[in-house]
Amino acid sequence: MSKLIPGRRNLLKAGAASLFLAGVPIAGLAKGKPPGSISVIILEGGMDGLATIPPVGDPDLMRMRKAISPEGYLPLNDFFGLHPSLKFYAQLMARGHASAVHATAFPYTKRSHFEGQNMIEGGGLSPFSEKTGWLGRALDLADVAGRSLSLDMPLILRGHHENDNFYPASIRGSSRPKADLVNMIAMGHKMEAAQIFTKVARKSEENVRVPRDPASLATYAGRAMAQADGPVASVIRVNNFDTHANQVEEGDTDAGRLAKQLSVVDDVIAGYRRGLGKAWDDAIILTLTEFGRTVAVNGTLGTDHGYASVGLLAGGALSGSGIIADWPGLSKKDQFEKRDLMATIDYRSVCAACLEKSLGLDHDLIASQVFHQPDLPRVFEHLFA
Amino acid sequence: MPQLSFIYYYCRVPAMLSVSILVASLLAMPVLAAEMSGWSDKSVCRLVTATADNAAYVAEATRRKLDCGTGAKSSGDEQQSEKKLLPKNQGIVFYPLKLDPQIKQQLLASPINKTEFDFSPYQLATLAQPIQCQFNLRRVNYDNHVDGKVENWNMAKGSMFLTNAGVKIEGRWRMGGLSKDSSYLKHEVNLKLTKAGHLIGKMAYFHLNISNGEALKKPLYIELKPHKRSKPLDINNPQTAELWTDVEDWAGGVWKFTRCKEYTP
């Protein structure tokens, strides 16, 4: 009986282990493989779509934001350019594997980070109206599991009981807890608690080492998703897009806070591409951001909270490269509340199209059961036809 | 006096309030109307669809008899109001890519994968039978040795399978940290054998030791090319080889192949 009494040191290790192991992935969660995979990159803070994909053909752009428009943009066509930080994304565009949707937003206009982030993850019609997320609900409908690459389970993935989260930790002594100890604790519990400890024991047998940066997580996610029985969805967060100040460096509009963060996004997409390998052909990656930024520049070489932004899409499942937009214009009279880029495309429609393609779900089903909006317009043909 | 105060508060104040509200409303209405008078019908409709809860926009649309695709009349129905919030996704245009041909060529020539390598300048081996070798990789230290000193420990070890399609490695790095992830030797290697018996290509390479608890470091992606100090593999009579590679100024690597033999997959 004395063997059942764990020592202080081992108990401490188990505590640390459960924290660490809660983030280690379990392979083979997916029950039936849908036609593709979907990965969401959440850009927290509100990304400036007008600097990411500058509408250089709009005469009002340079008039209103010359101080922060990237000079070294890549001309994509007569009307749109691409921020110079998105180098890998440019390669994908040249290969027909990347597109962007411009002047788009979730139906949220109040410019609060908390509410906006809740809206883009929950997919409801108003902030805090959903307890589950749109991706989680879609995975539930498709009967497949997802995986979160963050310490917590983000709202966007909630909705499926088999969703799992992963975040690598390097706590000394925590990577290999004593299986006997975990099993012993499991024996002392019943029902769900016992299942949790069994899960911990299973995870403890894995020893995964991945750097914490988003790009490495993307590579890891891509590799996991490329496996025959791997997950079909993943979520990665990139923060620091709230560029109220120093969005660009003084005298260099190609550098600054936004340029740095866009490089991270570029690396994440490259990481996915590398990790997915051949599975890239059926993959869709899309970005989400809670809102765009003001059209005008503020006094600190930055921009403030706005309305519409841009959505970046990548993946072999796309039918070609281009910019999808119903361009609203940038003149004062065309701006939302005389300050923001107007949204002309409901980004939920874009998400719905990506779900339709990757999970093989019917649009009407997605519209009514995922977004609770039965008449949500279908934009599938603009992205995948 | 108390009676007078009572009358004052219960009769005069509501009357004053009503008058104030009426005056404020009358003042505000022309201001709103004046603000929107210069706006296009399209803009008004967009505002109606985006912020249907704003009565001024709805009133302006109604005044102009605009339908706005949703019916701009305020129904008071919450569900109807939510619907008006949404952009209607009408008039979507696909702006196709029109990249400058030279830029497009440059972009297409850029590697998508970190291990992409152009093998075309090299004469690759054509093997009648695939070759299997045992290998170890050791560090060559140039810090205090101009010619380099081969250190007496293995950075990586395992079996290498050389085929016409490429090189497959079954083994493991021994550099700690990320190198413990076997997928690097499996997925992050793009090597081929040349006719002269050299390994060429690109691969993930862990040149630094990482102890437990240290911050993880990503591998370098190095190119392997024929090296003047190498003793290449004789593809007609494969037995041993010693293939050198440059990595950094202070260190390189040497692959030692032993027990090479042809095998049937």
Side-chain angles (χ1 to χ4, degrees), chain B:
Chain B
M1 281 304 281
Q3 276 185 337
L4 274 175
S5 297
F6 178 84
I7 292 164
Y8 180 83
Y9 278 106
Y10 285 87
C11 299
R12 295 291 300 275
V13 171
M16 284 170 71
L17 268 175
S18 302
V19 170
S20 303
I21 291 167
L22 184 65
V23 170
S25 306
L26 289 170
L27 285 171
M29 281 177 71
V31 170
L32 286 171
E35 270 189 342
M36 284 187 273
S37 62
W39 296 4
S40 67
D41 289 351
K42 196 178 173 185
S43 294
V44 171
C45 267
R46 283 208 175 105
L47 287 165
V48 166
T49 51
T51 56
D53 50 344
N54 191 320
Y57 300 149
V58 176
E60 180 67 13
T62 309
R63 191 182 67 77
R64 297 188 192 193
K65 296 177 183 172
L66 300 175
D67 180 48
C68 298
T70 60
K73 292 167 192 167
S74 179
S75 65
D77 177 6
E78 197 177 332
Q79 189 65 25
Q80 188 68 19
S81 172
E82 294 289 6
K83 281 183 187 176
K84 285 181 206 163
L85 265 168
L86 315 172
K88 300 306 287 180
N89 298 354
Q90 292 164 347
I92 295 176
V93 175
F94 183 78
Y95 296 79
L97 232 59
K98 289 179 192 169
L99 289 170
D100 176 83
Q102 205 177 342
I103 292 172
K104 187 173 182 180
Q105 203 174 356
Q106 281 173 10
L107 289 170
L108 291 174
S110 306
I112 283 284
N113 278 327
K114 284 186 177 177
T115 56
E116 265 188 30
F117 186 82
D118 181 13
F119 292 101
S120 61
Y122 299 93
Q123 278 197 311
L124 300 177
T126 308
L127 303 172
Q129 281 286 332
I131 299 168
Q132 178 184 355
C133 296
Q134 301 302 307
F135 79 91
N136 63 51
L137 174 64
R138 293 188 173 184
R139 179 185 283 160
V140 184
N141 194 330
Y142 294 103
D143 247 357
N144 297 311
H145 311 274
V146 179
D147 294 332
K149 184 187 176 188
V150 179
E151 295 180 352
N152 193 26
W153 57 280
N154 294 328
M155 298 172 73
K157 197 176 174 183
S159 303
M160 201 173 281
F161 300 88
L162 311 163
T163 70
N164 289 330
V167 174
K168 191 180 154 198
I169 300 175
E170 282 181 9
R172 63 190 187 95
W173 283 96
R174 296 174 155 197
M175 303 299 282
L178 285 179
S179 81
K180 291 182 178 178
D181 182 351
S182 60
S183 66
Y184 280 100
L185 271 182
K186 197 173 172 185
H187 300 295
E188 301 290 302
V189 169
N190 182 20
L191 301 177
K192 287 188 176 178
L193 188 66
T194 66
K195 214 170 188 173
H198 294 278
L199 276 184
I200 54 162
K202 212 168 173 186
M203 66 177 292
Y205 190 96
F206 293 91
H207 70 307
L208 295 175
N209 271 307
I210 303 294
S211 304
N212 275 341
E214 262 190 87
L216 304 177
K217 287 200 173 86
K218 290 187 204 175
L220 296 174
Y221 283 80
I222 64 157
E223 285 192 354
L224 270 64
K225 289 179 176 173
H227 196 284
K228 60 183 179 185
R229 296 184 71 179
S230 291
K231 295 170 188 166
L233 186 72
D234 180 354
I235 61 171
N236 297 315
N237 182 24
Q239 286 182 2
T240 61
E242 190 176 289
L243 304 175
W244 289 58
T245 183
D246 293 329
V247 180
E248 289 201 327
D249 288 348
W250 64 274
V254 56
W255 303 80
K256 290 196 175 178
F257 286 12
T258 55
R259 293 158 57 191
C260 294
K261 60 182 181 188
E262 291 183 341
Y263 77 100
T264 308

Side-chain angles (χ1 to χ4, degrees), chain A residues 244-257:
Chain A
H244 288 287
N246 303 322
Q247 182 169 317
V248 298
E249 278 180 13
E250 202 164 354
D252 186 359
T253 53
D254 295 345
R257 284 181 60 195

Side-chain angles (χ1 to χ4, degrees), chain A residues 8 19 33 83-84 208 210 255-257 288 298 346 357 376:
Chain A
R8 177 181 159 275
L19 173 64
K33 200 81 173 171
H83 195 284
V208 179
V210 179
R257 284 181 60 195
L288 289 184
N298 64 22
D346 189 334
K357 181 73 176 176
L376 185 72

Side-chain angles (χ1 to χ4, degrees), chain A residues 65-122:
Chain A
R65 46 161 57 208
K66 189 178 181 193
I68 57 164
S69 278
E71 277 182 24
Y73 70 86
L74 171 71
L76 297 175
N77 48 42
D78 297 338
F79 199 81
F80 291 105
L82 183 68
H83 195 284
S85 290
L86 295 169
K87 291 184 172 65
F88 185 81
Y89 194 75
Q91 290 179 43
L92 291 179
M93 282 199 129
R95 287 171 168 83
H97 288 177
S99 280
V101 183
H102 218 318
T104 182
F106 271 64
Y108 175 70
T109 57
K110 307 293 185 195
R111 307 185 186 98
S112 153
H113 290 297
F114 303 108
E115 290 184 353
Q117 284 167 14
N118 186 275
M119 283 282 288
I120 63 169
E121 293 194 36

